[in-house]
Amino acid sequence: MHCFRLTTVLGVIVGTLLLAAMPLPERASGQVPARAPSAPQTSGGIISDIRIEGSQRIEPETIRSYLLVQAGEPWDDEAIDRSLKALFATGLFADVNMSRAGNTLVVRVVENPIINRIAFEGNNKIDEKALTAEIQLRPRVVYTRSRVQNDVNRILDLYRRHGRFGATVEPKVIQLTENRVDLVFEINEGEYTGVRSINFVGNHQFSDSKLRGIIQTKESRWYRFLTSDDSYDPDRLTYDRELLRRFYLTQGYADFRVVSADAELTPNRDGFIITFTVDEGERYRFGKIDVNIKIKDLPREAVLPLLTVKEGDWYDAEAVEKSITALTTELGNRGYAFVEVKPNIKRNRENHTVDITFDVQEGPQVYVERIDIVGNVRTLDKVIRREFQLVEGDAFNTTKMQRSQQRIKNLGFFKKVNVTNSPGSAPDKTVVTAEVEEQSTGELSLGFGFSTTDGPLADVNIRERNFLGRGQDVRIGTVVSFRSQQVDLSYTEPYFLDRNIAAGFDLFEIKTSPTQNFFSGIVPPYQQFSYGGALRTGYQITDNLRQTLKYTVRSDDITNIQPNTSLFIGLQQGTHLTSEVGQVLLYDRRDDRLDPTSGYYASIGNDFAGVGFGVDYVRNKVSAGYYYSIAPEWVLSVTGEAGYIFGWNGQKVLLQDRFFVGGDNLRGFQSAGIGPRDTVSGDALGGQKYYVGSVSLGVPLGLPKELGVTGRVFTDFGTLYHVEPTTLKLTPEQSAAAGGQTTLTAQQSPALRASAGVGVSWKSPVGPIRLDIALPIRRESFDKTQFFRVSFGTRF
C-alpha cells in the first residue's frame, strides 16, 4: 500500500494553485487545508473497488458522490487529484487522504466536528442576542476554521461600529464526545474608541468650531453618552464630506472641495484623530440671472418673478434648486404639465460671479399609466394612494411625485418610503411605484414632569396611529397632577368618507382647581368637575390655510367651595351644561410648528354656546406670531393673542367660561395672577376681555449645539379685565352675613401689565426643561407675581 501526502512547500503551492483554478461554484464553500494531501500516483490498471474509511455521520455513498472516478474505470491521476480537492471543498472534512491498495482506492477522511453550543464570554456592552444575530455559525452546523475566523471578523466589525476598535476576540473549542464541540468566543471589549479631536486644514473663512457644528461626527465629550456620533464611522465620514460641500456651496464657495478626510488611530488605540483637508476656493456672487423660455405663448417676463435668486447675492446652490422647484410647480399649476427646467451655469473666475440661465422647455409628454404600491403588509393601499398628488391618467410630473413621497413619509407609518417611476407599456406612459417598509405605529408613553403651576405630574397614553391599517388615529390617556386629573379618549378619521376631510370625536373627564398654585400652600377655594364630548372636523383650504369645526357638549360642576371663598364663586355653585359650536381658521407659514425660526401664523376662533340648551355666550379669540432669524441661532419672535367673551339672551358669563391670564402666557405673574379679584377673599375671578403679547429673542450661549441648550431674553405684556357686577338676592340673615352688601363688585383694572426676563431651555435626555426668571415692571397692587418659573417633562 502506498500513501501520498504533499508535505513540502512546493506541494502546498501547487495544491493552492489547483484549487484557485477550479470553477467558482466548486470551491465557494470550501477551505484550503493547512496540509494538502496528494492523490496516489498510479501506474495504470482498472479501479476494482473504492473503500471509504473514517466516516461517522456522513454516508459512504455521499462521499463517493463527490469523487470523479468510479469502480471499473481506469486509474487517472488528474481525476483522483481533483476528487481530493472536491472533498476538501465541501467543508465537511478536517483531513482527506487517498491511497492505493492493489487495485482498490482507499479514501480516509477525518470529519469536521458538529457544533453543539455557541457561547460568548466577556461581552458587556453588546448583548448576546446582537452577537448571535451577527455571526453565521449555529448549533448543529459543521465546524470549520474558516467559518470561525469569518465570524470572529464579523464580531470585530460589530464592535468597531459601536466605537470599540481595541476589541479582541479569541475563539475556544471544547471537545465533546461523538465528534461534537462547544465553541466559545472569548471577547475583550476594550475601551470605547471615540473621536479624540476633529481638525480642519485649509479653512480660512470659517473656524474649526463652526465647521465642527456642520458635520455629524462629533468629538467625544461626557454629555454625549446618549449618542454614537462621537464614534468613528467611515460611512459617516463620507456623509460629513457631503455636509461640508453643501454648506460651502450655500455660502458662495462654488469651487469648494474636500481634498481628504483622514482618520488616524492614536498609538494607545483609545481614540481617533480626524483631519479634514479642504480647499475653499474663491467666493462667488450671482451674476446675470435670466430665463430662456422655449414654450409657446409663455413670455419670459411671466416667469422671472418666480425665481428665488437675485443678482448680486452670494451664490447659493440651495437657492438654485428652490428656483427650479418653484418654476416647475408654478408652471405645472398653470397647465404646463411637461415642463423641464435646467440651470445653465457659467462661472466667471475673473470677477467671481456665477451667471445662471434657467432653460425652460417642454419635456416629453408622459402620462401615468398606473400606480403600484408594494411592501405594505398591514396598511391598506388606499391609505397610501390618497396621499399621491398624481392619479392614473395624469400628466407625469417629477415634482408632484417627490411631493407625494414626502406626504407618504409624513404619515409616520413607514420606516422607508421610495417612490420611483419606470417605463410603461408605451413610450408616452410611465409606471409609478411606491415601495414602503412598515414600522410599528402603536405607542405606549409614560410621562413625568414638574411645573411651578401644576407641581409633579404624570401622564399615561396609549395610541395607535394606524388603527386596523386604515390610517385612523385612536388615543386614550390620563394626566394626573397636583392641580388636575384628566382622562380622555379621542378618535380621528383623516379621510372621512374618502374625502380630504379629517373627522373625529373626543370624550373627556376633568377634575381641576383652576386658580390653585402648587407653591401657594393653601387649600384651593373651589374645584371644578367637568365631563363631556366633542365632534370635530378639519380640512385644508390651501396648503397653508386650514379650518377646523367643532361641536362640544360639556357639564361643569363647581363644588367643594371653602367657607372663605368669594361670594362670586359661591353663587355659581352647582352644575351648568354647555352646548357649543365653534370654528378655528389657521393660516400657518412657519418653517417648524414646534421650534420655528422663520415664518408667521395667524388664527381666529369663534365659539357660540346655547345651541338648543345650556349656558349662552359668544367667545372670540385671535392670535398671531412672527419669527425672523436675525443671524444663525438668533431668532426674534413676536406673538400675541386676544379674546372677548360675552353672554347673550340675558345671561351672564359664568366662572368656568372666563379667561385666566398669568403663568405660561404672562411670565412674571402666577397662574391666574392678574385680572379681576374679590376685594375680600382675593380669589381670582377670571375676566371677559384680555390680550397678551410677547417679544422674545433667542440667543446662543456659546455651548455645543448638540447639548440642546438655548437662551432667550423676553418681555411679556397684557391685561385681563371686565367682570359684570352681581346683584345679590339675599334673605335678611344672608344680608347680615354679607355685611349688608346688595351688589358684588370685583377689584379690576384694564391697565397694562408687563414683565421682562431671561430664560434657558434644555432638550435634556429626560425631556425638555424650561427655566424662566421674570420681573414684573408694571403691575397692579392686587396682582400675584412669580419671579421664578420652571417646568420639565419627559415621555418614553
Side-chain angles (χ1 to χ4, degrees):
M1 182 187 300
H2 302 282
C3 178
F4 299 88
R5 290 180 180 271
L6 291 178
T7 58
T8 65
V9 174
L10 178 61
V12 173
I13 295 174
V14 171
T16 304
L17 293 175
L18 287 173
L19 180 59
M22 293 173 59
L24 183 61
E26 295 186 32
R27 61 184 181 94
S29 61
Q31 62 177 0
V32 179
R35 183 179 58 183
S38 68
Q41 302 299 315
T42 62
S43 57
I46 302 298
I47 300 174
S48 61
D49 189 18
I50 298 177
R51 187 167 71 244
I52 308 298
E53 297 179 355
S55 61
Q56 298 179 22
R57 302 183 313 275
I58 304 172
E59 294 293 332
E61 289 304 319
T62 301
I63 298 175
R64 288 191 178 93
S65 68
Y66 289 102
L67 301 178
L68 303 180
V69 292
Q70 300 296 329
E73 296 180 356
W75 288 90
D76 186 338
D77 293 344
E78 182 180 354
I80 292 174
D81 188 67
R82 291 173 59 196
S83 299
L84 181 74
K85 302 298 188 295
L87 286 174
F88 265 109
T90 63
L92 300 174
F93 308 104
D95 193 13
V96 179
N97 179 25
M98 292 187 178
S99 61
R100 180 174 181 175
N103 285 327
T104 299
L105 176 63
V106 180
V107 181
R108 294 189 180 90
V109 298
V110 177
E111 294 181 357
N112 276 321
I114 292 293
I115 297 176
N116 177 64
R117 184 174 66 93
I118 299 176
F120 302 92
E121 294 181 357
N123 57 305
N124 296 316
K125 301 301 181 181
I126 302 179
D127 60 28
E128 186 170 322
K129 182 179 180 181
L131 292 170
T132 302
E134 188 71 17
I135 65 175
Q136 292 188 345
L137 285 173
R138 295 289 184 270
R140 295 182 296 279
V141 172
V142 175
Y143 167 91
T144 66
R145 293 181 182 178
S146 62
R147 291 178 179 176
V148 172
Q149 188 57 48
N150 289 338
D151 280 349
V152 167
N153 293 334
R154 290 187 179 92
I155 295 173
L156 290 175
D157 287 341
L158 179 62
Y159 272 97
R160 287 166 183 163
R161 292 198 297 271
H162 284 74
R164 296 183 177 271
F165 283 77
T168 60
V169 179
E170 184 71 23
K172 300 292 185 181
V173 177
I174 302 174
Q175 298 287 343
L176 303 176
T177 59
E178 299 177 356
N179 201 22
R180 297 174 301 127
V181 295
D182 283 346
L183 178 60
V184 180
F185 291 99
E186 294 184 353
I187 301 172
N188 180 3
E189 296 181 318
E191 296 297 325
Y192 181 80
T193 316
V195 176
R196 178 72 59 83
S197 65
I198 301 175
N199 305 311
F200 295 87
V201 177
N203 55 311
H204 304 292
Q205 303 300 325
F206 299 98
S207 65
D208 285 12
S209 60
K210 175 65 176 179
L211 297 182
R212 290 190 192 105
I214 299 300
I215 62 177
Q216 185 176 353
T217 303
K218 304 298 180 184
E219 294 178 341
S220 296
R221 296 291 184 269
W222 66 268
Y223 49 79
R224 295 196 174 105
F225 61 93
L226 290 179
T227 179
S228 62
D229 289 344
D230 59 346
S231 64
Y232 169 67
D233 185 340
D235 293 335
R236 191 189 300 125
L237 209 62
T238 302
Y239 180 57
D240 289 337
R241 296 171 65 119
E242 177 62 18
L243 290 177
L244 287 172
R245 189 188 72 84
R246 292 179 187 175
F247 170 72
Y248 271 93
L249 288 180
T250 60
Q251 301 299 315
Y253 295 91
D255 295 331
F256 173 82
R257 64 190 183 97
V258 179
V259 179
S260 63
D262 301 319
E264 180 182 0
L265 192 61
T266 57
N268 56 359
R269 302 180 65 85
D270 65 345
F272 277 92
I273 299 175
I274 297 177
T275 303
F276 292 93
T277 303
V278 301
D279 180 7
E280 293 180 325
E282 298 294 336
R283 196 176 189 188
Y284 290 77
R285 292 185 182 271
F286 283 116
K288 183 180 179 182
I289 306 296
D290 200 2
V291 177
N292 181 21
I293 297 291
K294 298 181 180 179
I295 300 178
K296 186 179 179 181
D297 299 330
L298 185 62
R300 168 178 169 275
E301 291 74 16
V303 177
L304 279 174
L306 302 176
L307 300 180
T308 60
V309 295
K310 297 180 180 179
E311 185 175 345
D313 288 350
W314 290 114
Y315 173 76
D316 186 346
E318 288 186 2
V320 175
E321 291 298 325
K322 289 180 180 178
S323 292
I324 295 174
T325 302
L327 286 171
T328 304
T329 303
E330 183 62 27
L331 295 178
N333 293 336
R334 296 185 184 185
Y336 299 94
F338 304 102
V339 168
E340 283 189 352
V341 180
K342 297 180 179 179
N344 184 9
I345 299 176
K346 182 180 180 182
R347 190 174 306 169
N348 190 327
R349 300 184 185 277
E350 295 181 359
N351 55 14
H352 301 133
T353 59
V354 176
D355 299 334
I356 300 181
T357 301
F358 293 92
D359 288 330
V360 183
Q361 55 188 339
E362 284 191 296
Q365 296 188 358
V366 179
Y367 297 88
V368 178
E369 180 176 7
R370 69 175 187 275
I371 298 176
D372 294 335
I373 299 172
V374 296
N376 54 316
V377 178
R378 179 168 173 263
T379 305
L380 301 180
D381 275 9
K382 72 174 185 179
V383 174
I384 303 172
R385 195 175 295 274
R386 65 195 182 193
E387 299 300 326
F388 270 93
Q389 295 194 330
L390 293 167
V391 297
E392 283 88 347
D394 278 359
F396 176 75
N397 185 293
T398 303
T399 302
K400 287 186 176 181
M401 184 180 73
Q402 294 172 348
R403 194 179 302 169
S404 300
Q405 176 173 302
Q406 187 60 47
R407 286 167 60 93
I408 298 173
K409 286 182 179 179
N410 291 342
L411 291 173
F413 302 162
F414 308 106
K415 186 185 302 182
K416 295 180 181 179
V417 178
N418 188 28
V419 179
T420 58
N421 67 297
S422 57
S425 60
D428 63 342
K429 294 181 180 179
T430 187
V431 176
V432 177
T433 302
E435 185 176 357
V436 300
E437 181 180 345
E438 302 221 40
Q439 65 180 0
S440 175
T441 54
E443 298 175 5
L444 170 62
S445 59
L446 308 176
F448 300 96
F450 176 86
S451 74
T452 47
T453 299
D454 295 310
L457 60 89
D459 71 280
V460 181
N461 279 278
I462 300 175
R463 183 183 182 189
E464 172 54 60
R465 295 180 290 108
N466 189 15
F467 186 62
L468 300 178
R470 299 176 180 273
Q472 299 159 344
D473 192 332
V474 180
R475 186 183 69 86
I476 183 170
T478 180
V479 179
V480 179
S481 72
F482 173 80
R483 196 174 70 156
S484 65
Q485 299 83 46
Q486 175 178 339
V487 178
D488 60 273
L489 168 69
S490 67
Y491 169 86
T492 303
E493 167 57 67
Y495 279 80
F496 184 62
L497 299 179
D498 289 329
R499 298 178 180 271
N500 191 14
I501 300 175
F505 66 84
D506 303 290
L507 300 175
F508 58 87
E509 182 177 280
I510 306 171
K511 180 181 180 182
T512 184
S513 304
T515 63
Q516 175 69 341
N517 185 281
F518 177 70
F519 286 107
S520 64
I522 62 175
V523 178
Y526 71 97
Q527 289 184 331
Q528 179 176 323
F529 180 73
S530 305
Y531 65 91
L535 298 175
R536 50 183 163 74
T537 181
Y539 55 91
Q540 292 290 144
I541 300 175
T542 66
D543 286 344
N544 306 111
L545 183 62
R546 182 176 182 84
Q547 185 172 39
T548 302
L549 304 175
K550 191 173 185 179
Y551 173 68
T552 303
V553 175
R554 188 178 76 244
S555 172
D556 299 294
D557 186 15
I558 305 297
T559 184
N560 291 339
I561 295 181
Q562 301 301 310
N564 59 347
T565 300
S566 166
L567 281 175
F568 274 101
I569 299 174
L571 292 174
Q572 296 189 28
Q573 183 173 6
T575 302
H576 308 278
L577 299 178
T578 301
S579 174
E580 173 191 276
V581 62
Q583 73 86 31
V584 176
L585 192 64
L586 172 65
Y587 186 75
D588 195 344
R589 295 298 297 270
R590 289 173 291 182
D591 60 343
D592 190 309
R593 294 190 178 184
L594 297 179
D595 189 17
T597 59
S598 64
Y600 58 90
Y601 74 93
S603 73
I604 180 171
N606 311 97
D607 299 314
F608 181 81
V611 182
F613 61 89
V615 298
D616 303 315
Y617 64 79
V618 176
R619 179 169 51 209
N620 304 292
K621 289 180 65 175
V622 294
S623 63
Y626 177 76
Y627 302 86
Y628 179 73
S629 181
I630 301 174
E633 300 182 40
W634 293 75
V635 179
L636 176 67
S637 64
V638 180
T639 60
E641 65 177 56
Y644 175 43
I645 183 171
F646 59 90
W648 66 279
N649 199 23
Q651 186 169 357
K652 295 182 179 181
V653 178
L654 300 180
L655 176 71
Q656 68 269 13
D657 300 317
R658 297 174 191 157
F659 301 111
F660 290 88
V661 173
D664 289 332
N665 58 0
L666 188 61
R667 289 163 289 189
F669 297 87
Q670 292 184 11
S671 294
I674 73 168
R677 291 187 177 276
D678 188 285
T679 55
V680 178
S681 67
D683 292 329
L685 304 177
Q688 296 176 231
K689 299 178 182 180
Y690 85 101
Y691 63 86
V692 292
S694 178
V695 179
S696 178
L697 177 64
V699 297
L701 300 178
L703 299 173
K705 187 176 180 180
E706 64 272 16
L707 265 183
V709 179
T710 57
R712 60 184 168 275
V713 294
F714 61 85
T715 177
D716 290 351
F717 54 89
T719 188
L720 172 69
Y721 61 99
H722 188 56
V723 169
E724 298 173 348
T726 300
T727 301
L728 298 176
K729 296 180 181 179
L730 304 176
T731 64
E733 293 80 6
Q734 291 174 328
S735 178
Q741 288 181 293
T742 58
T743 302
L744 291 178
T745 57
Q747 191 176 18
Q748 57 182 313
S749 170
L752 179 73
R753 278 79 155 180
S755 65
V758 296
V760 175
S761 295
W762 178 30
K763 296 179 181 178
S764 75
V766 296
I769 297 178
R770 292 174 55 92
L771 185 151
D772 290 306
I773 297 175
L775 181 67
I777 56 179
R778 182 167 183 149
R779 54 171 296 226
E780 295 296 311
S781 59
F782 52 86
D783 292 338
K784 306 295 184 181
T785 62
Q786 184 181 66
F787 175 70
F788 176 81
R789 186 170 187 82
V790 62
S791 66
F792 75 85
T794 184
R795 180 163 294 189
F796 51 86

